[in-house]
Amino acid sequence: MKLPELPPFDHEPKKYSGPSADEVLHLRKQFLNPGIFLYYKKPMMFVEGKMQYLWDEQGRRYLDALGGIVTVNVGHCHPDVVDVVRKQNETLQHSTTIYLHPNVAQYAQKLAAKMPGDLKVCYFVNSGSEANDLALLMARAYTGNYDVIALRNAYHGGSTLTMGTTGNRGWKFNVPHSFGVHHAITPDPYRGLWGRDDVDAGKKYAADVKNLIDFATSGQVAAFIAESIQGVGGCVVFPDGYLKHAYEHVRAAGGLCIADEVQAGFGRTGAHYWGFETQDVIPDIVTMAKGIGNGCPLGAVVTTPKIAAALAQRTHFNTFGGNPVVCAQGSAVLDVIDREKLQANSLKIGNRILGGLGKLKSKHNIIGDVRGKGLLLGIELVKDRQSKEPAREECGQVMETCKDMGLLLGKGGLWGQTIRFSPPMCVNEQDADFLLEVLDRALGSL
Ligand code: PMP
C-alpha cells in the first residue's frame, strides 16, 4: 500500500557530514546526564530544520507535529528570526541590566502591549522553571503569605521550587521540595468526577481549591498556579469557569493568581492570544517560556507595577536574563506571529485537525478522548473506553509507526497515554491532512 506523502516543500537540506547517529548516541551515553530520555526505539537525530519540517542526518524529511517540544511556534529557522539574531550576534552578544540596552527595553514594551489589564512589568529569565520560581517568590514577597495551591497533573519545572508545584510522580525526586505547596484535584473532564455534560463542572472542581485553603492552610495563601491548558499532563482542558471560580477563592484568601503560559501562550490556542483568555480571567502574574523565543533560552514573568514593587525590597538580578540576542529573537517572534497571522492559522488548522481526530475516534476504539484548542491538541488512548485503562504501550507503538511514516508527535499524561499535537503555527491544510492520514494508518495497524 502506498504510504501517505508529505506535502511538497521547497527546501534542499545541506549534505550532512558530521558524526553518525550511532556515534552521537555513544557519546551521549558516555558523557551526558543519564536521566534524559529518548523518544524512539531507534533514536532519531535531526540536523536541519525549516519551518514545520525537520531533516534527519540521511536527508529524510519529517513533519514536526510536536514543534520542537512546543517551542518552535513560528517555524524552524524562520528566515526573519534568523536574520535579526544573526545581526545582533554580529553587533553585541552580551550585555546585562547593569547597562542600558535598547533591545530589552523595547522588547519589554512590545510584550507588555500584548498583555491585558495592568500586566505591564516584565522580568526576563532563561527558562520556564526560572520564570515560575520567580513568580512564586514574587507572590510570597508581595502577600507575606507562604502557602501555594497548585494542581495535580501539572508541570511547572524541574527546579526545587517548581518540582514542588509539579503534580506528577515521574518528575518529582524523593527529596524535600513541596514547601507549603498543596495540590488540588485535576479539573479533568475526561478522568475526573465531573464531565463535559455537567455545566457546573468548573465550579465543582474549583470548590476543591477552597477546600484546600480551608483545611490545609492557615486560610491565607500566597498563590495559586496553573497552566491554562495542562501540557505535559496530556493536554487537559479545564471546564469553562474553572479558573474564574478558583481565582475567586484564592483572591478571597489573599493570594495571587499565576498563569503558566509556557505552552498555551502566543496564539497557539487559536481563538485567543493567551491561554488564560480561554477561561475569561486576568491573572496577577503570567509566566512564559518555550514558544516565546521560538526555541531560544528565554523566559519571562509579567506582572503589575504594584506586585513588581514587592521584589524591589532586595536586588534581583539574572545574568543572562534579557540579553540582547534573545530579546531580538523574542521580539522578532512577536512580529512574525502578527505579520503571518499565525494565531488565526492555529485556529483554522487546529480545527481541521480536531475535526479529523473526532472522526478517527469514531473509527478507532482505542481513542478514549479528543481534546484541545487551536494547535494544542491531544488524544488519550485507552485499552477500554469503560475502564479507561491507559493504553501506554499502544501509544508508544503509534508514535513509532507515525515516525516511520514521517510524522513526529508528542506524548503526555502520567502513563504516557496521550498523544500530543503542537506543530509550529505555520502548518497548512496539507500538513493537517497528512497528519490525520498517517495517524489513521498507525492506529489501524495496532
Ligand atoms: N511550565 C510548563 C507548562 C512547561 O511545559 C514547562 C516545560 N515542559 C515548564 C514550565 C518548564 O520549562 P523549562 O523546561 O524551560 O524550565
Side-chain angles (χ1 to χ4, degrees), residues 69-70 126-132 155-159 162 171 227 229-232 260-264 287 289-290 298 420:
I69 182 153
V70 207
N126 312 287
S127 68
S129 303
E130 269 190 273
N132 285 326
Y155 187 87
H156 295 295
S159 64
T162 56
W171 307 92
E227 295 155 88
I229 290 178
Q230 289 183 332
V232 173
D260 179 332
E261 289 280 326
V262 168
Q263 297 206 15
T287 61
K290 287 195 190 272
L298 171 61
R420 301 188 56 207

Side-chain angles (χ1 to χ4, degrees), residues 197-236:
D197 51 345
D198 186 340
V199 288
D200 288 325
K203 193 173 173 180
K204 289 177 179 170
Y205 283 111
D208 191 52
V209 171
K210 169 80 173 125
N211 195 274
L212 267 183
I213 293 169
D214 286 342
F215 290 98
T217 77
S218 66
Q220 292 289 296
V221 302
F224 168 80
I225 181 167
E227 295 155 88
S228 304
I229 290 178
Q230 289 183 332
V232 173
C235 195
V236 174

